[in-house]
Coordinates of all heavy atoms in Angstrom, one line a residue:
W1 N -2.9 -2.8 19.6 CA -3.4 -1.7 19.1 C -2.8 -0.2 19.5 O -2.8 0.7 18.6 CB -4.9 -1.6 19.2 CG -5.6 -3.0 18.9 CD1 -6.2 -3.9 19.7 CD2 -5.5 -3.6 17.5 NE1 -6.6 -5.0 18.9 CE2 -6.3 -4.9 17.6 CE3 -5.0 -3.4 16.3 CZ2 -6.4 -5.7 16.5 CZ3 -5.0 -4.0 15.1 CH2 -5.8 -5.3 15.4
P2 N -2.4 -0.1 20.7 CA -2.0 1.2 21.1 C -0.8 1.7 20.4 O -0.6 2.9 20.3 CB -1.7 1.0 22.6 CG -2.7 -0.2 23.0 CD -2.6 -1.0 22.0
T3 N 0.1 0.8 20.0 CA 1.3 1.2 19.3 C 1.0 1.4 17.7 O 2.0 1.9 17.0 CB 2.5 0.3 19.5 OG1 2.1 -1.0 18.9 CG2 2.9 0.1 20.9
L4 N -0.1 1.1 17.3 CA -0.4 1.0 15.8 C -0.4 2.4 15.1 O 0.2 2.5 14.1 CB -1.6 0.3 15.5 CG -1.9 0.0 14.0 CD1 -0.9 -0.7 13.2 CD2 -3.2 -0.7 13.9
P5 N -1.0 3.4 15.7 CA -1.0 4.8 15.1 C 0.2 5.3 14.8 O 0.5 5.9 13.6 CB -1.8 5.6 16.0 CG -2.8 4.6 16.8 CD -1.9 3.4 17.1
A6 N 1.2 5.1 15.7 CA 2.5 5.7 15.5 C 3.2 5.0 14.4 O 4.0 5.6 13.6 CB 3.4 5.7 16.8
L7 N 3.1 3.6 14.4 CA 3.7 2.9 13.3 C 3.2 3.1 12.1 O 3.9 3.3 11.0 CB 3.6 1.3 13.7 CG 4.2 0.4 12.6 CD1 5.6 0.5 12.7 CD2 3.7 -1.0 13.0
A8 N 1.8 3.3 11.9 CA 1.1 3.6 10.7 C 1.5 5.0 10.1 O 1.8 5.3 9.0 CB -0.3 3.6 11.0
R9 N 1.8 5.9 11.0 CA 2.3 7.3 10.6 C 3.7 7.1 9.9 O 4.1 7.7 9.0 CB 2.3 8.3 11.7 CG 0.9 8.8 12.1 CD 0.9 10.0 13.0 NE 1.6 9.7 14.4 CZ 0.9 9.3 15.4 NH1 -0.4 9.0 15.2 NH2 1.5 9.0 16.4
R10 N 4.5 6.4 10.5 CA 5.9 6.2 10.2 C 6.0 5.5 8.8 O 6.8 5.8 8.0 CB 6.7 5.3 11.2 CG 8.2 5.0 10.8 CD 8.8 4.2 11.7 NE 10.3 3.9 11.4 CZ 11.0 3.1 12.0 NH1 10.6 2.5 13.3 NH2 12.2 2.9 11.7
L11 N 5.0 4.5 8.6 CA 5.1 3.8 7.3 C 4.1 4.3 6.3 O 3.9 3.7 5.3 CB 4.8 2.4 7.6 CG 5.8 1.6 8.7 CD1 5.4 0.0 8.7 CD2 7.2 1.6 7.9
A12 N 3.5 5.4 6.5 CA 2.4 5.9 5.7 C 2.9 6.2 4.2 O 2.3 5.8 3.2 CB 1.8 7.2 6.3
P13 N 4.2 6.8 4.0 CA 4.6 6.8 2.6 C 4.7 5.6 1.9 O 4.3 5.5 0.7 CB 6.0 7.6 2.8 CG 5.8 8.3 4.2 CD 5.0 7.4 4.9
M14 N 5.2 4.6 2.5 CA 5.3 3.3 1.9 C 4.0 2.6 1.6 O 3.9 2.1 0.5 CB 6.1 2.4 2.8 CG 6.2 0.9 2.3 SD 6.8 -0.2 3.7 CE 6.6 -1.9 2.7
Q15 N 3.1 2.8 2.5 CA 1.7 2.2 2.3 C 1.0 2.9 1.1 O 0.2 2.2 0.4 CB 0.9 2.2 3.5 CG 1.6 1.4 4.7 CD 2.1 0.0 4.4 OE1 1.5 -0.7 3.7 NE2 3.3 -0.2 4.7
A16 N 1.2 4.3 1.1 CA 0.7 5.0 0.1 C 1.2 4.5 -1.4 O 0.4 4.4 -2.5 CB 0.8 6.4 0.0
G17 N 2.4 4.2 -1.3 CA 3.1 3.6 -2.5 C 2.5 2.2 -2.9 O 2.3 1.8 -4.1
V18 N 2.2 1.4 -1.9 CA 1.6 0.0 -2.1 C 0.4 0.2 -2.8 O 0.0 -0.5 -3.8 CB 1.6 -0.7 -0.7 CG1 0.5 -2.0 -0.9 CG2 2.9 -1.2 -0.1
V19 N -0.5 1.1 -2.2 CA -1.9 1.2 -2.9 C -1.7 1.8 -4.3 O -2.4 1.3 -5.3 CB -2.8 2.1 -2.0 CG1 -4.0 2.6 -2.7 CG2 -3.1 1.6 -0.7
A20 N -0.9 2.8 -4.6 CA -0.8 3.3 -5.8 C -0.2 2.3 -6.8 O -0.6 2.0 -7.9 CB 0.1 4.6 -5.8
G21 N 0.8 1.5 -6.4 CA 1.4 0.6 -7.3 C 0.5 -0.5 -7.6 O 0.5 -1.1 -8.8
T22 N -0.2 -1.0 -6.6 CA -1.2 -2.1 -6.9 C -2.3 -1.7 -7.8 O -2.6 -2.4 -8.8 CB -1.8 -2.6 -5.6 OG1 -0.8 -3.0 -4.7 CG2 -2.7 -3.8 -5.9
L23 N -2.9 -0.6 -7.6 CA -4.0 0.0 -8.5 C -3.3 0.3 -9.9 O -4.0 -0.1 -10.9 CB -4.5 1.1 -7.9 CG -5.2 1.0 -6.6 CD1 -5.9 2.3 -5.9 CD2 -6.4 -0.2 -6.6
L24 N -2.1 0.8 -10.0 CA -1.5 1.1 -11.3 C -1.3 -0.1 -12.1 O -1.6 -0.4 -13.2 CB -0.3 1.9 -11.2 CG 0.5 2.1 -12.4 CD1 -0.4 3.0 -13.4 CD2 1.8 2.9 -12.1
G25 N -0.8 -1.2 -11.3 CA -0.6 -2.5 -12.0 C -1.8 -3.1 -12.5 O -1.7 -3.8 -13.5
A26 N -2.8 -3.0 -11.6 CA -4.1 -3.6 -12.0 C -4.6 -3.0 -13.3 O -5.2 -3.6 -14.1 CB -5.2 -3.4 -10.9
W27 N -4.5 -1.6 -13.3 CA -4.9 -0.9 -14.7 C -4.0 -1.3 -15.9 O -4.5 -1.5 -17.0 CB -4.9 0.5 -14.4 CG -5.1 1.3 -15.6 CD1 -6.4 1.6 -16.2 CD2 -4.1 2.1 -16.4 NE1 -6.1 2.3 -17.4 CE2 -4.8 2.7 -17.4 CE3 -2.8 2.2 -16.3 CZ2 -4.1 3.4 -18.3 CZ3 -2.0 3.0 -17.1 CH2 -2.8 3.6 -18.3
W28 N -2.7 -1.4 -15.6 CA -1.6 -1.6 -16.7 C -1.7 -3.0 -17.0 O -1.6 -3.3 -18.3 CB -0.2 -1.2 -16.1 CG 0.6 -1.3 -17.1 CD1 0.7 -1.3 -18.5 CD2 2.1 -1.6 -16.7 NE1 2.0 -1.5 -19.0 CE2 2.9 -1.6 -18.0 CE3 2.8 -1.8 -15.5 CZ2 4.3 -1.9 -18.0 CZ3 4.2 -2.1 -15.6 CH2 4.9 -2.0 -16.8
L29 N -1.6 -4.0 -16.2 CA -1.4 -5.4 -16.4 C -2.8 -6.1 -16.5 O -2.9 -7.4 -17.1 CB -0.6 -6.0 -15.3 CG 0.9 -5.5 -15.1 CD1 1.5 -6.1 -14.0 CD2 1.8 -5.7 -16.4
G30 N -3.8 -5.7 -15.9 CA -5.0 -6.5 -15.9 C -4.9 -7.4 -14.8 O -3.9 -7.5 -14.0
A31 N -5.9 -8.4 -14.6 CA -5.9 -9.5 -13.6 C -4.8 -10.3 -14.0 O -4.6 -10.8 -15.2 CB -7.2 -10.1 -13.6
P32 N -4.2 -11.0 -12.9 CA -3.1 -12.0 -13.2 C -3.7 -13.3 -13.7 O -4.5 -14.0 -13.1 CB -2.5 -12.3 -11.8 CG -3.5 -11.9 -10.9 CD -4.3 -10.7 -11.5
S33 N -3.5 -13.5 -15.2 CA -4.0 -14.8 -15.8 C -3.2 -15.0 -16.8 O -2.5 -14.3 -17.3 CB -5.5 -14.4 -16.2 OG -5.4 -13.4 -17.2
G34 N -3.4 -16.3 -17.3 CA -2.6 -16.8 -18.4 C -1.2 -17.2 -18.1 O -0.9 -17.3 -16.9

C-alpha cells in the first residue's frame, strides 16, 4: 500500500481512459450477449 499512491498518480490518465471506454462501450454496445 505505501507505494500505491505514487503509482496511481502515474497511471491516472490510463485509468481514466479505462473508465470512460468501459462506460462508453456499455452505452454504445449494451451488455455482452448473443
Side-chain angles (χ1 to χ4, degrees):
W1 308 123
T3 61
L4 183 60
L7 181 67
R9 287 192 295 271
R10 179 180 180 184
L11 298 180
M14 176 193 174
Q15 301 314 311
V18 167
V19 173
T22 305
L23 298 181
L24 176 62
W27 172 78
W28 179 32
L29 301 171
S33 61

